[in-house]
Amino acid sequence: MEQMAIGKAINAGLRAAMERDPRVLLVGEDIGALGGVFRVTDGLQKDFGEDRVVDTPLAEAGIVGTAIGMALRGHRPVCEIQFNGFVYPAFNQITTQLAKLRARSRGRLSLPVVIRIPSGGGIGSVEHHSESPEVLFAHTAGLRVVAPSTPHDAYWMIQQSIASADPVLFLEPERRYWQKGDVDTDLGPGQVTPLHRARVVRPGTDATLVAYGPTAKLALDAAAVAAEDGTDLEVVDLRSLSPLDVDTVAESVRRTGRLVTVSEAPTFHGPMAEVAARIQESCFYSLEAPVKRVGGFHLPYPAARVEEHYLPTVDRVLDAVEQSLAA
Amino acid sequence: MTDTEVGPVRAGAAHDGRPDGMVQLLDQHGVRHTHPDHEVDLEPEELLGLYRDMVLMRRFDSEAEALQRKGELGLWAGSRGQEAAQVGAGRALRRQDHVFPSYRDHGALLTRGVDPLHILSIFRGTDHGGWDPVAAGVHPYTLVIAAQMLPAVGYGMGVQRDGAVGTGDPERDTAVIACFGDGATSQGEAAEALNWAAVFNAPVVFFCQNNQWAISEPVSRQSPVPLHRRAEGAGMPGVLVDGNDVLAVLAVVRSALERARNGGGPTFVEAFTFRMGAHTTSDDPTRYRLAAEVDAWREKDPLDRFRTYLTAEGVLDEDFEAQLAHESEALAERLRAGVPALPEPDPVSMFDHAYAEPHPQVQAERDEFLAAWEQHDRDVHAGGVL
Ligand SMILES: Cc1ncc(C[n+]2csc(CCOP(=O)(O)OP(=O)(O)O)c2C)c(N)n1
């Protein structure tokens, strides 16, 4: 067991994947000498060389588009998008090419490309550094979209993503890069939670909170506060948005009878709309109250001094829990 | 402008570290040169005006950096070293022209009369830029690299449709300037912008400040050929100008804008300069840049050479310097007092401007937000625990 921050755990996971498989290479802006603006690739160029840790021209369509081409030649590129709001220039390559080539070639083409994107806000930054664009990709068939929330998951999920034969969008919880936790680096095959599996990270009986990425910790914080008042909340970390492990959430909701979802992404047409709809389908007779969603508003991400009002907070989560319990 | 710039320019550096073919009117020692195609003939007051702009811009930058260090700004993207490029380009504009800036073009904005506090509000996080884009003739700052370039071309095409090109009326003919960095030239959208402007003969000047670095990546990682040669492929003149020479930048951009206003079409200007500080206050340039490179560029400082020249010409005297020092200090004081006093945004205001027409979902979210907020506020005032 090692103590690591999430950013460091991703770094260690990348290193392990690169050591294991010489076809793995990293591509992105400023990932070499600088080690990335969040230092996630720190030291890797020094150890693996400029052919495997490639500082690219400043062009996101180029990063993803050429990664597709390299993957077609059997390489396994891991792309870094510097900040969430800068994935849009690559949107065309991701949605029209990367996501669709396997289906279009009837499985003859394989696209083992990983796209790492810092996601979510809460770091007090300027425009386009705090967005949660995951639903755009979760809605695009042909992509897997995963979101670790702990150092342990970050370490293993990046390696699972790289090993996947499918393209994976790997969302890194930007404001949690420095959050430390235990990482068990010695697990064998079968001991690591599968990439697409959700996990109950806190058992409880009164209501279920479901979250992923940066809001997983928020949900745990809210559950801790609620516990002081005698409310026992279960917390499920989705870990993957596509595919979505509805079964794990449904099992939880059947026990607790109540569901509150928590995301930074806007609720309106957001990722949790799918969770709510599916739970309503599968757990209609177990639900004691309507599913409540807490998330960002249907607004462009606001200026930094307002973001605390935009992002879900412990208070907003507890308000929703209260409403659910009162219903 | 002549077409002499079109055509191959040899890569490489001349004996004084200056790339071949670079337009320069004032060398790094402050010595005035002439150029067959690009000249300016300025009155003493105009020269002093340029000098004043550059001094104030530098003071603005250093004060902003200090405010960031004191925690008053969340981030600062410094512009030290790029004073000649930005002031030269800014002062080449006419009132009716329109600027499409990147996020580092503070100097150009100051020459447009944009309130410096409006610029700093972005970096404090109270606003996304407080100026009125129409009144100021300055588009909001763009954080997404190269994303402003296509809108700039479209704006130019709008100008064409309004019949505000080539009328011969200097108060009416309008041009657009799109500002971007060396890194931005790598974006696909940058290529599209150049192509559209050339195909439609749009009145646009592409003003590329090649400050040698895109965060940690040297310009050689963006392009194997000098950037202004991109113009050739697109079908427009490309000019390389000493970006640390305010007179040369003014001359080159002025004639490019004039050409655009007259219906002559777009021009690509590469201002060869250097970002003296970090990319932003979150950056650590020592990880990727040698001190020797920074030192070499310090010798080419745009302010020093201009001061040397103006002093030698007898245009600049101690009185003016003293008055300017006073003015700089007043500006700094205004920023020191004004930044902490920038109004904190009313949280509800985030709902105000996403749509022009009523949007029921946003309205509902706003109501929900207000109810929860007032509820919590009341609880807090009642001393309750949430
Ligand atoms: C589309 C996009 N990708 C990445 C970034 C992150 N980023 C911000 S500034 C920058 C470097 C830009 O360099 P350059 O265009 O040369 O302009 P400079 O900052 O040097 O003025 C990068 C990579 C961004 N803002 N937009």
Side-chain angles (χ1 to χ4, degrees):
Chain A
M1 215 49 105
E2 277 181 60
Q3 274 275 314
M4 267 185 228
I6 287 182
K8 281 270 186 290
I10 300 168
N11 180 283
L14 290 169
R15 178 180 289 278
M18 294 179 81
E19 277 166 356
R20 189 177 311 121
D21 185 348
R23 296 169 307 165
V24 175
L25 77 163
L26 313 185
V27 290
E29 296 154 12
D30 301 299
I31 65 174
L34 188 62
V37 290
F38 289 109
R39 308 288 184 262
V40 172
T41 55
D42 201 13
L44 297 177
Q45 188 179 65
K46 194 161 79 39
D47 297 341
F48 293 96
E50 292 187 11
D51 273 354
R52 291 191 67 199
V53 180
V54 186
D55 268 333
T56 68
L58 210 173
E60 287 74 13
I63 291 168
V64 175
T66 58
I68 291 171
M70 286 193 281
L72 294 173
R73 286 291 297 186
H75 298 276
R76 303 185 88 88
V78 181
C79 307
E80 174 173 302
I81 299 295
Q82 199 156 75
F83 280 97
N84 39 65
F86 307 141
V87 72
Y88 305 113
F91 192 72
N92 175 47
Q93 288 293 328
I94 297 173
T95 55
T96 72
Q97 305 302 308
L98 186 63
K100 298 202 171 42
L101 280 166
R102 171 174 291 271
R104 259 162 51 191
S105 67
R106 298 185 170 232
R108 292 187 194 95
L109 297 179
S110 202
L111 280 303
V113 174
V114 176
I115 303 178
R116 297 179 33 237
I117 311 176
S119 93
I123 62 167
S125 202
V126 284
E127 247 200 322
H128 297 300
H129 290 68
S130 307
E131 297 170 22
S132 305
E134 53 266 34
V135 74
L136 303 173
F137 303 112
H139 191 68
T140 302
L143 304 171
R144 291 174 187 271
V145 182
V146 304
S149 73
T150 64
H152 182 81
D153 274 351
Y155 177 76
W156 285 109
M157 287 168 72
I158 188 66
Q159 295 182 66
Q160 292 169 310
S161 301
I162 293 169
S164 171
D166 288 320
V168 180
L169 272 89
F170 187 85
L171 308 174
E172 305 177 357
E174 178 170 298
R175 62 168 148 148
R176 312 278 187 217
Y177 271 129
W178 303 272
Q179 174 190 310
K180 284 197 172 165
D182 286 335
V183 179
D184 188 347
T185 54
D186 284 334
L187 299 180
Q191 291 181 294
V192 182
T193 311
L195 186 59
H196 62 276
R197 262 283 141 64
R199 196 164 55 213
V200 176
V201 290
R202 181 190 207 278
T205 53
D206 293 337
T208 300
L209 293 180
V210 59
Y212 60 87
T215 52
K217 178 167 186 304
L218 180 71
L220 285 169
D221 291 348
V225 175
E228 290 169 19
D229 291 342
T231 305
D232 188 17
L233 299 177
E234 178 148 311
V235 178
V236 178
D237 179 0
L238 285 179
R239 299 172 78 253
S240 172
L241 293 176
S242 178
L244 192 65
D245 179 5
V246 181
D247 292 348
T248 298
V249 185
E251 260 171 51
S252 171
V253 170
R254 285 193 195 102
R255 281 196 301 272
T256 65
R258 293 181 159 84
L259 179 64
V260 174
T261 72
V262 192
S263 69
E264 287 190 15
T267 52
F268 187 57
H269 286 294
M272 292 304 195
E274 184 66 25
V275 175
R278 291 201 179 243
I279 290 304
Q280 179 275 139
E281 271 172 8
S282 59
C283 300
F284 188 71
Y285 294 105
S286 309
L287 281 169
E288 310 270 351
V291 177
K292 294 291 298 177
R293 287 178 292 151
V294 181
F297 299 107
H298 182 55
L299 298 174
Y301 199 89
R305 295 256 165 172
V306 187
E307 72 178 342
E308 60 171 305
H309 295 279
Y310 171 91
L311 292 170
T313 55
V314 165
D315 286 337
R316 278 178 62 202
V317 175
L318 293 181
D319 280 353
V321 168
E322 207 174 286
Q323 289 167 27
S324 176
L325 288 170
Chain B
M1 170 139 342
T2 71
D3 279 349
T4 50
E5 299 81 20
V6 186
V9 176
R10 272 173 298 128
H15 58 282
D16 60 352
R18 181 158 65 92
D20 289 349
M22 184 167 86
V23 178
Q24 188 183 62
L25 297 179
L26 202 57
D27 68 23
Q28 70 186 82
H29 308 292
V31 177
R32 185 74 160 83
H33 300 271
T34 56
H35 192 281
D37 303 318
H38 300 282
E39 263 307 334
V40 279
D41 186 14
L42 301 176
E43 298 297 323
E45 309 83 75
E46 293 175 292
L47 290 167
L48 288 176
L50 292 172
Y51 181 68
R52 174 179 170 273
D53 286 344
M54 289 166 69
V55 168
L56 291 178
M57 174 180 165
R58 181 162 292 188
R59 190 70 187 90
F60 170 71
D61 183 73
S62 62
E63 193 53 43
E65 192 177 296
L67 284 164
Q68 196 281 334
R69 297 268 180 263
K70 281 187 238 163
E72 295 292 347
L73 299 177
L75 182 81
W76 179 240
S79 54
R80 191 157 47 94
Q82 298 181 223
E83 290 86 356
Q86 296 186 6
V87 167
R91 284 295 169 203
L93 294 161
R94 287 182 148 273
R95 196 60 249 171
Q96 68 271 26
D97 295 340
H98 209 82
V99 184
F100 283 79
S102 191
Y103 45 78
R104 200 193 294 286
D105 294 306
H106 321 310
L109 266 68
L110 296 177
T111 66
R112 297 296 275 172
V114 171
D115 186 331
L117 286 170
H118 283 160
I119 301 175
L120 295 182
S121 75
I122 302 173
F123 295 93
R124 186 169 172 81
T126 54
D127 206 331
H128 288 311
W131 64 89
D132 175 344
V134 179
V138 180
H139 192 68
Y141 268 5
T142 305
L143 267 299
V144 184
I145 298 296
Q148 73 279 24
M149 293 172 69
L150 282 162
V153 175
Y155 190 100
M157 293 169 70
V159 167
Q160 288 173 318
R161 277 154 185 72
D162 297 341
V165 176
T167 69
D169 176 358
E171 299 306 318
R172 181 163 170 75
D173 288 340
T174 301
V176 180
I177 188 164
C179 305
F180 53 98
D182 40 295
T185 61
S186 293
Q187 292 284 356
E189 290 182 353
E192 294 181 33
L194 295 181
N195 189 36
W196 274 68
V199 164
F200 293 105
N201 207 43
V204 181
V205 175
F206 293 98
F207 186 63
C208 175
Q209 285 168 78
N210 175 3
N211 66 7
Q212 313 302 326
W213 291 90
I215 309 189
S216 73
E217 298 189 357
V219 63
S220 60
R221 187 40 54 114
Q222 310 299 337
S223 175
V225 297
L227 297 175
H228 60 281
R229 283 185 54 190
R230 295 285 169 92
E232 252 179 85
M236 69 180 75
V239 190
L240 177 64
V241 62
D242 185 341
N244 285 16
D245 169 359
V246 68
L247 298 180
V249 175
L250 180 70
V252 165
V253 175
R254 195 182 253 181
S255 61
L257 287 166
E258 205 48 34
R259 184 180 127 96
R261 290 189 206 100
N262 292 339
T267 304
F268 186 108
V269 176
E270 175 185 354
F272 203 76
T273 180
F274 195 74
R275 180 243 294 159
M276 291 301 291
H279 170 72
T280 65
T281 41
S282 310
D283 177 42
D284 174 9
T286 62
R287 290 176 79 109
Y288 55 81
R289 200 164 78 171
L290 295 173
E293 186 187 5
V294 183
D295 291 342
W297 276 94
R298 195 165 289 125
E299 302 290 306
K300 303 178 186 178
D301 186 88
L303 265 165
D304 290 347
R305 76 172 72 172
F306 199 35
R307 185 184 302 113
T308 305
Y309 167 68
L310 293 179
T311 308
E313 290 293 300
V315 173
L316 181 63
D317 58 26
E318 279 174 14
D319 276 359
F320 190 85
E321 286 270 46
Q323 181 194 320
L324 193 50
H326 193 69
E327 203 179 336
S328 298
E329 206 32 57
L331 171 67
E333 267 174 48
R334 177 160 178 258
L335 302 178
R336 276 198 295 274
V339 165
L342 280 170
E344 285 298 308
D346 175 357
V348 186
S349 70
M350 70 180 156
F351 292 94
D352 289 350
H353 301 298
Y355 294 93
E357 305 286 341
H359 188 295
Q361 264 78 37
V362 169
Q363 190 61 40
E365 288 186 355
R366 182 180 190 275
D367 293 347
E368 227 174 273
F369 172 80
L370 258 182
W373 193 40
E374 277 166 5
Q375 168 69 38
H376 287 174
D377 235 21
R378 253 204 315 282
D379 287 356
V380 168
H381 284 115
V385 180
L386 295 175

